[in-house]
Every structure is written in structure tokens, then in C-alpha cells.
Amino acid sequence: MPIRILSNEIASQIAAGEVVERPASVVKELLENALDAGARSIAIQIENAGRTLIELGDDGEGISEAELVLAVTRHATSKLRNAADLFNISTLGFRGEALASIGSISKMTITSRTGTESQGARVVVEGGRPGKVQQVAAPLGTLVRVEDLFYNVPARLKFLKTDGTEQRNIDAYVTRYALAYPMVRIVLSHDGREAFQTSGSGDRRATLAALYDANVARRMLEVNADFGEIKVEGFVSPTTDTKGNRNGLVFFVNGRWVQDAALAAALMQAYHTLLMVGRYPLATLFITLPPGQVDVNVHPAKAEVRFENPQEIFAAVQRAVKRALLAHTPVPGLQVGAGWAEGLSATGFGFEASRQPSEADQQFHPPASGIGDGHQIESHLTETVQSSLPGMPLLRWVGQIGNTFLVAEGPDGLYLIDQHAAHERVLFEKMMEQQANARIEAQQLLEAVVVTLHPTAARLLEEQIPILGLLGFEVELFGPNAFKVLAMPSALLGSDPSQALQVLVEDFEEDEAPLMAQVEARIIGRVCKRAAIKAGQVLSQPEQQALIHDLESCKSPRTCPHGRPTMIHISLDLLERQFGRRGAF
Ligand code: ADP
Ligand code: MG
């Protein structure tokens, strides 16, 4: 084929592909434009997950009639004048590409009025070609309507995910930007249903509740560190609120949302040893530095940046987060006396709703010390766990230490049992067995419990109501973002329904089609982890004995469903050697 210069139309579609990957990218670009225009109030309407309509209205400075066509022309921007400006950018936009790109792959209508004009103006762009500018009555500001996105790029349409996923992507951008710009009022609705709104009062913590669920939002720790030119602000989760993936890590650099693996690594460093392997904290951090020290012109969607002094930035993030964590380190043993026994129900163990699972507890309850050399015991443990049969011997209950470990005697020495891990295993096997035998046993609640979730979570859960049924939860939609829990798996009776639903949502987030058997096992594992009794909970003697007994009847009693040991065995032989009775010099 001969070499030809591509037509304008194809060239702009190719360029658009870099900027507009999915409906959420349109939302992001329009949001950035509105924020750059100094908007105080932004309203976003989405229909069909953005496939048919994305509309964003702002009360910013507007675009004059004379410049309207220019605004939708490629490489036309009011934000850069010369090449030097490119290295000192303080606006979110600068490439002059977004509107042109969006206009080339949709039917876009822009209506705008500036403060100095009495009349507004409107232009319609279809497939990249702007029509005639018309005068219309319009409020101050700009309204961009993007209809039939990708109507002329069927390949893109094919790659879109389910409506739920596309909506979640949109929500993720809007909620994050809302948190970054607390002084701007932002309202988002999907198909006429309000999904999210902020007041614009400047209160970031209030916005947090829209980003996370209300309880997590309350527990988030504030980060506020000033290192001169570099500032790090925002929120990070305590070590008890974690996720199984990195999706909860959000970074803004100079008001711009960026994805940066190195920043995430710096943050994780601050949590070093405080989290279990495979768990990640939640964090939204706002990093401010002089614009000249960060290159934002790295990526067409402006999602990546390059720092002039990366080490300095990473160190600042790490120090800022560490400070926040240290200031809030939980006090060991605080939970003692939390009264687990009161929560004990007829069908099983109770549940202490106020406390998250005990990854952190491990840190603050060092394993029983003082019995010889810790290393020796540990290596002995590995040996025992690996070489022993899957079952466990009958044990005689001896007592409990630190309200965390049960002490028992077996045919060959001493057994220390982690009460949380053990109970997790017991619950897990109970539920898995019921699941294998057709259905998980559900128990009607005496009183239905209403659980309100963050709108994104709510939509996700709503889509999955049928699978909830299979898991023993009877859940009904109860008003916007609210659910009524009528029944729960009987193994979990007494646990907090809202926490249980939260775990389910977390799981659905990670999976597009969670209706498969192994996913059910994973979900059950997670639910059990939340529902299991905690380290630090006081147990009565019969409760302790019942737990040991239940563990004995498990198929794999030696590990919790997540692979941690439920028990440590110290053999008589080891004890004798430690006491110098045998084998020692
Ligand atoms: P960029 O934001 O990189 O400049 P865009 O294509 O997104 O490029 O926008 C082009 C220009 O249109 C902007 O530079 C700005 O002058 C104008 N503009 C776009 N959206 C708005 C808005 N919501 N309010 C005021 N002006 C806008
Ligand atoms: Mg822009």
C-alpha cells in the first residue's frame, strides 16, 4: 500500500483512543475542565453507565461564544502559552485534547456562558465536526452533554465491561475528586438516581463516608505533614482496616489523581510488618509540591507523573504515614473484658461487632515467650504441622492465656491454640459443609436489620442479591442504598449483618462473576474471618472447651482457612530438652 497521510477523522479517533478509554475517562476529563474553570458546584448525570449520556454542568468561568469552536479543536487550550509553561503546570488540563477527542467519538453538545456575556452559546459536535454556533439562553458556566459515546468506534464499545463495572469506574473518579476538592459541591446521579453528593463545605471527613463505609470512614487516620515545600495530607486506614488488593490506594499530586507504583510502595513501607501478607491498607493521600518539580506530561490521560526528586517524595510519604500510624497505635489488651460471653447465642459463638479481625493483634500479642528459644519452637512447629496427619489428637483443656490462646494437653505435650484462628476454621468448615449439602442453613432474624451502604457498594450488592441467597443471607432492597437483612447463615448468628455484607461487597468488587463455587468458598472464608471470636476476647471455661471440641471435629484443624496455624505444638521431648533433662549438655 502507498503511504498516505491519515484523514483528520481517523487521526483524531486514534488520538481519542489514548485519552478516552471508557465512559469514566470522559467523566474525568470533564470534571478536570470544570475544576480548572473554577467551578464551585458541579452536577453530573449519567445514563446507562455513560453509554447513552454523560452530562456535566458547572458554574465555572464559561467559554465565550467566540471561542466555542476553538475549545473543541485539537491542541487548543487556554492553559498553556509557551513551551516553558509546560514545566510549571498548575491546571489539571494542558494538552487541549480532551474536548476534541470526546467530540470525535460521540455526539457532544456544549452550552456555555461567561460572566461578561448576556447570552449563552451552543455548539454541537458530531463525529469530530462542529456545527454552527447558536445563541441560546444559558446560566453562567458550562454544560457538556456527551451522547452515544463510541457510536462510531464499535471496537471500543465491544470492550466496555458490564454496566456495574463501568458505573463503578465513574464513581471511583468522582468520589476521589470530591475528596480532593472539598470546597466544590459535587452531585452525581446514575439514571436519575442520586449516587453521591458532597456539600462543598470543605469537610473532607464527611466526604470520606461516601468513599468508604461510614464505620471505616470514622476510623480512618488523618495524615497531615508539612515538610516545607512538600506537604502530605489525607487519610490512611488503621492496620485493622485492610483490603485484599491495592485498589484502596489513591494518590493525588498537586490536585491531580495519579497512579504510581512507587508511591504505593512508599506507603506500604510505612505499614511494614503491621499488615499480614497479601493485605493492603486504604489510603487517600494528597501530595503537594512546587509544580516545577513534577512533570505531568508523561501520559496522554495525565495519569502518571515524574518527580524531579522521587526519593524525597517517597520519604515524605513514608514519614507522614508512619507518624499517623504511630499516633494511633492501638493499646494492647484494650479489648479484654469486651464480653464475648454475652453475645453467645444458642447456635454458636457470638461476635464482637466493634472490632475488626485481628491481623494487628498478632503484632501486639507476641507469642508465648519465656519457654526456651522462640526459634527452636517455631522450627519445631513447622516440622510438626507438616509431618503430622491432617487431624489432631484429642486434647484436654488446661486454660487460657492473654485472653487469646487456649492451652491444652495432648498425648505428646502441650498445645497452644489461637482462639481466633481456631474459631475461623470451625465456622468455615460448618458453612462449607452446609454449602456442599445443598444449602447453607439460614436463620431468620428476630428483627430485620437495615444496613445502609455506600452507593457504589449498594449497587454492587444489589446485583448480587441472588448469590447472597445461596450463602444463607436473605436480603431485600430497602430504599436507596439500604438493604434489609431478614436472615443470616445460622453459623454466623450473632454477628453484625452490616459487617458481613461489607465483606461480601469487598469480594464482589474483585470479581466480575462471583457465582462460582471456589468464589463461594473464598467469600465464606472471609465472612468467617469477620465473624470469628477475636484475640483478646474473654471466654468462659465451657466456651473454651467447646471451641477445642469443635476444632477436633474439623477436617483440617491445624490451619485457619487463610493458612495460618491454629495451634502450636510443644512436644514433651522439646520441653525435656529445654529444661536440660535430656539431650542438652
Ligand atoms: P485542556 O483542558 O487541556 O485545555 P480541553 O480540550 O479539555 O483541553 O479543553 C479545551 C479548552 O476549553 C480549555 O483550555 C478551556 O479553555 C475550555 N474549557 C473546556 N471545558 C471548560 C469548562 N467546563 N469551563 C470553561 N472552559 C472550558
Ligand atoms: Mg481538559
Side-chain angles (χ1 to χ4, degrees):
M1 281 212 303
I3 299 178
R4 256 184 299 227
I5 291 182
L6 294 176
S7 75
N8 246 343
E9 197 178 341
I10 299 181
S12 40
Q13 278 193 12
I14 291 174
E18 295 179 331
V19 181
V20 184
E21 198 186 343
R22 49 176 12 105
S25 347
V26 174
V27 174
K28 172 178 176 273
E29 293 296 338
L30 298 183
L31 247 180
E32 291 191 345
N33 280 347
L35 292 167
D36 278 345
R40 301 302 305 264
S41 177
I42 296 173
I44 308 163
Q45 310 251 19
I46 307 293
E47 270 165 34
N48 292 311
R51 287 167 210 269
T52 49
L53 178 72
I54 297 167
E55 185 185 271
L56 188 142
D58 69 55
D59 61 353
E61 63 188 8
I63 308 170
S64 69
E65 186 186 338
E67 289 189 326
L68 207 47
V69 171
L70 211 49
V72 299
T73 307
R74 188 164 308 277
H75 308 308
T77 178
S78 58
K79 300 168 194 176
L80 278 189
R81 277 156 307 158
N82 50 48
D85 284 352
L86 196 51
F87 299 97
N88 204 358
I89 287 171
S90 54
T91 50
L92 296 169
F94 57 87
R95 300 172 57 99
E97 266 192 329
L99 290 183
S101 291
I102 297 166
S104 72
I105 47 173
S106 71
K107 295 165 190 166
M108 177 174 75
T109 309
I110 304 183
T111 309
S112 194
R113 181 167 75 81
T114 63
T116 54
E117 290 170 313
S118 56
Q119 277 248 322
R122 171 174 295 161
V123 69
V124 180
V125 184
E126 211 175 313
R129 281 178 297 272
K132 251 188 84 176
V133 175
Q134 289 176 320
Q135 291 203 332
V136 291
L140 182 69
T142 305
L143 182 78
V144 182
R145 246 179 107 80
V146 177
E147 287 165 286
D148 300 332
L149 183 66
F150 299 133
Y151 80 100
N152 53 353
V153 204
R156 278 280 160 176
L157 268 185
K158 264 209 311 247
F159 281 104
L160 293 187
K161 303 255 177 74
T162 62
D163 277 10
T165 304
E166 296 299 343
Q167 283 183 344
R168 248 176 288 139
N169 277 317
I170 293 173
D171 294 356
Y173 277 119
V174 177
T175 46
R176 286 164 187 177
Y177 271 89
L179 197 60
Y181 294 85
M183 300 301 289
V184 181
R185 194 179 107 88
I186 297 181
V187 186
L188 167 70
S189 46
H190 285 286
D191 304 314
R193 174 168 151 190
E194 186 179 301
F196 171 80
Q197 109 146 276
T198 60
S199 66
S201 68
D203 182 357
R204 269 194 179 141
R205 202 170 267 278
T207 309
L208 266 189
L211 202 51
Y212 309 108
D213 85 283
N215 288 318
V216 177
R218 207 164 345 101
R219 286 192 295 264
M220 291 294 276
L221 312 175
E222 200 159 333
V223 177
N224 198 340
D226 191 333
F227 303 104
E229 283 193 323
I230 304 167
K231 285 183 188 51
V232 183
E233 295 166 88
F235 299 91
V236 294
S237 66
T239 53
T240 43
D241 287 288
T242 59
K243 250 185 123 137
N245 58 42
R246 286 166 210 267
N247 296 350
L249 306 180
V250 177
F251 297 95
F252 277 81
V253 173
N254 288 348
R256 176 195 309 282
W257 178 66
V258 299
Q259 284 171 304
D260 191 311
L263 281 177
L267 175 99
M268 293 300 292
Q269 275 289 315
Y271 281 86
H272 186 56
T273 75
L274 294 176
L275 299 176
M276 269 185 65
V277 178
R279 299 301 295 178
Y280 299 89
L282 306 166
T284 303
L285 288 183
F286 303 99
I287 300 155
T288 326
L289 70 164
Q293 292 181 22
V294 50
D295 183 1
V296 292
N297 188 24
V298 180
H299 188 273
K302 300 162 287 180
E304 285 167 25
V305 291
R306 240 180 254 130
F307 296 110
E308 194 178 59
N309 305 308
Q311 291 314 323
E312 205 183 324
I313 308 294
F314 303 151
V317 166
Q318 200 177 320
R319 247 185 296 158
V321 173
K322 226 174 209 157
R323 259 186 225 171
L325 286 173
L326 284 175
H328 295 86
T329 303
V331 181
L334 201 64
Q335 295 297 314
V336 172
W340 168 70
E342 279 116 55
L344 187 71
S345 67
T347 45
F349 288 97
F351 176 57
E352 186 199 331
S354 62
R355 190 123 157 86
Q356 292 283 307
S358 56
E359 275 94 338
D361 293 349
Q362 287 189 300
Q363 300 304 318
F364 306 115
H365 295 275
S369 54
I371 312 175
D373 173 0
H375 288 295
Q376 212 171 332
I377 293 179
E378 223 173 276
S379 58
H380 183 76
L381 153 79
T382 350
E383 207 177 286
T384 317
V385 169
Q386 282 165 358
S387 64
S388 64
L389 294 165
M392 70 185 248
L394 289 182
L395 298 180
R396 183 177 69 83
W397 171 81
V398 176
Q400 186 193 31
I401 44 180
N403 286 320
T404 299
F405 305 106
L406 306 183
V407 185
E409 187 193 353
D412 179 30
L414 175 71
Y415 286 78
L416 292 169
I417 298 169
D418 178 326
Q419 65 188 40
H420 169 71
H423 192 219
E424 226 183 306
R425 165 55 64 187
V426 169
L427 287 179
F428 181 74
E429 292 207 0
K430 238 186 236 172
M431 284 188 71
M432 286 305 286
E433 191 189 309
Q434 292 176 358
Q435 189 221 12
N437 294 341
R439 262 187 165 247
I440 288 178
E441 210 176 291
Q443 175 89 39
Q444 296 292 318
L445 299 179
L446 291 178
E447 232 173 293
V449 180
V450 175
V451 176
T452 310
L453 293 176
H454 164 239
T456 314
R459 243 193 330 279
L460 203 53
L461 197 70
E462 199 180 324
E463 289 168 22
Q464 306 293 350
I465 284 183
I467 197 185
L468 295 182
L470 296 178
L471 294 169
F473 287 91
E474 194 183 321
V475 175
E476 274 176 7
L477 199 59
F478 188 70
N481 309 323
F483 298 85
K484 205 183 211 171
V485 184
L486 303 162
M488 285 186 67
S490 42
L492 301 184
L493 217 69
S495 65
D496 177 354
S498 89
Q499 282 214 11
L501 289 190
Q502 202 60 52
V503 185
L504 294 170
V505 168
E506 199 182 297
D507 225 287
F508 295 150
E509 264 179 5
E510 282 170 32
D511 214 291
E512 292 261 310
L515 263 166
M516 299 164 301
Q518 74 273 41
V519 180
E520 279 174 29
R522 203 179 68 208
I523 294 176
I524 291 173
R526 292 237 185 135
V527 174
C528 291
K529 185 176 185 63
R530 288 284 163 109
I533 55 168
K534 303 292 179 275
Q537 267 180 262
V538 180
L539 304 183
S540 70
Q541 182 181 325
E543 285 161 0
Q544 296 174 31
Q545 289 168 331
L547 179 54
I548 293 179
H549 179 75
D550 286 348
L551 190 62
E552 281 166 359
S553 42
C554 282
K555 289 198 193 86
S556 316
R558 288 183 181 271
T559 56
C560 80
H562 304 91
R564 274 204 293 135
T566 54
M567 64 184 81
I568 291 179
H569 174 209
I570 301 166
S571 67
L572 282 174
D573 178 64
L574 179 69
L575 285 173
E576 281 174 349
R577 274 190 279 132
Q578 291 289 315
F579 281 109
R581 290 179 151 273
R582 194 144 57 84
F585 315 89

